[in-house]
Amino acid sequence: MSREARFRLFNTLTGAVEPVIPREPKHLRMYGCGPTVYSYAHIGNFRSFLTADLILRTAQALGWKTTYVSNITDVGHLSTDDTIDPSGEDRMARALRSKEGERFPNVWDLARYYTDAFLQDWDALGLLEPDVRPRAIEHVRELIQAIEELVAAQLAYETSLGVYFSVPGFADYGKLSGNEKASLLRNAARDVVVDTEKRDPRDFALWKKDPHHLMQWHSPWGWGFPGWHIECSVMAQIYLGDEIDLHTGGEDLIFPHHECEIAQAESLTGKPFARHWAHTRFLQVEGRKMSKRFGNFLRVRDLLGSHAAQEKNLALRMALISGQYRKPYNFTRATLRDAGVHIGRFKRARDIIQNATDSQHSGRDNLCDLLRNTYRHALHAMADDLNTPVAIAAALSGTKSILENGYDLSAAAARSAKTFLDQIDALLGVIPQSPAATAEPGESQAASAVGGNGIDVKAVERLIGERRKARARKDYARADALRDEILALGVELHDTPSGPKWRPKTTL
Ligand code: AMP
Ligand code: ZN
């Protein structure tokens, strides 16, 4: 690979591993489908969200700017039983009727509760915060407007049950999934409404009329609720523009969800919607599809420690990213145990460094070169279609070298070891933080590594503070401008669940 590292990912749209080429050089604008909040998230859901997280981290490690939008689907959508149950009760309504749902007075509270639970899991697993996390129920007005535009352009039509996108009007339908046959498309459940007035069996719902639905809004077509697909394409375009660089989700979303997103978005704008599509292969547990029926259904919170149990949470994160996102992945208790052992090694290395930065030892400085090369190897592996097994092996091999040197580390070697662990952490998010680094969110954890490299620490800290305030008041344009100013000071900036962290810029 040349010094100018390329970021290559499999693109479902073309069926090949291709360079990721953002429309604006070195600025990745990415949309990731978020959860439907009718229950607690399971580890399969998070395997998909972690793929998006690793894409972001890799892009940032390559020195790119990132803008990441990931939604919360808090409108109930039709469940897979719809073909059997044409009355079309959605997942949220069904959850409210279930045993677990008894404690919620209404469906809005249920959605709020599971959204909060999801965000706690997100935080515990150390995923980077999206720049925007739009919620469907806050965007219904824009969804209605988009549907009106499609109707006006005669790409959608109304029946007595709802409003449908007219698939024959969009010639490229099927280009993502390769599914063109009506029979296949008819069998795609989850949003299929049985409506004899549909003009083509492939047509899909943009709006469902239902004055009795638990969540309903007034629209030009009466009371009802929006379809699921329109939610993502509209919110992606509101926050990222008509054409986005990369779109992620689990493999089940290729069809119909993402195929339908493309049809709606491209019909509305006449422009290609997403350049690159990255899909995560489904996770299995103990060799079988994860299912309550098989007793192998694992919710994230079943495997997390308490919030303070950082190492246990990191072990789960490590286990979930240990298989490359495109390969079949079998989660087992043994994988989780092994991941725990690895996290323990990272922690020991952190502890050694903590005690070694004042070391009087000299010599053994060949560690600096070795660790620099090992990090490069890890970054190259991640830039090569997120090859996490190779990147993790590099992280472990560098850590082994640190541990072998033990307390004999010279101060210079200790500094490179610290840089190595910080870089690996920014890339993979699996290194336990020393208490000093986590105590003050937003404070520079890198100050000690900065000395002597000409970085104006005070200016960085001040701008980070200003940017945090701009984000809090949702002034994203100002926050973006501040981010550019911060980067211009020669540092890398990473938004972590415990606040922004920075360090001197590294180059490959
Ligand atoms: P949902 O809440 O069902 O919309 O799913 C949220 C995300 O999790 C989507 O991107 C799904 O594709 C993904 N997902 C669901 N089950 C699995 C699984 N077993 N393995 C990987 N990803 C999954
Ligand atoms: Zn989506």
Side-chain angles (χ1 to χ4, degrees), residues 336-361:
L336 189 56
R337 263 197 312 277
D338 291 348
V341 173
H342 298 326
I343 298 295
R345 291 215 176 102
F346 293 142
K347 176 156 191 323
R348 281 210 302 288
R350 265 266 190 253
D351 291 346
I352 283 182
I353 295 163
Q354 193 83 356
N355 295 320
T357 32
D358 299 330
S359 163
Q360 302 302 316
H361 285 285

Side-chain angles (χ1 to χ4, degrees), residues 1 24 42 54 129 134 144 148 166 172-173 203 207 220 274 333 385 405 419 421 430 478 483 495:
M1 191 182 286
E24 181 188 327
H42 58 66
L54 293 171
E129 268 309 292
I144 291 174
E148 281 185 294
S166 173
D172 275 348
Y173 196 73
D203 295 350
W207 186 265
R333 294 274 175 181
D385 204 18
N405 280 267
T419 303
L421 290 185
V430 291
R478 175 75 187 133
R483 183 187 180 90
D495 290 313

Side-chain angles (χ1 to χ4, degrees), residues 33-38 42-49 73 91 190 228 248-253 280-284 290:
C33 285
T36 310
V37 283
Y38 67 100
H42 58 66
I43 58 171
N45 299 138
F46 266 89
R47 177 161 148 86
S48 286
F49 303 137
T73 295
R91 299 211 244 176
R190 192 157 163 169
W228 172 39
T248 63
E251 63 175 338
D252 60 320
L253 301 188
T280 304
R281 191 89 179 252
F282 259 33
L283 158 150
Q284 297 200 325
M290 189 169 54

Side-chain angles (χ1 to χ4, degrees), residues 40 42 285 290-299 302:
Y40 294 112
H42 58 66
V285 175
M290 189 169 54
S291 159
K292 289 192 175 128
R293 211 156 25 107
F294 303 142
N296 64 352
F297 188 87
L298 293 175
R299 304 180 312 180
D302 298 330

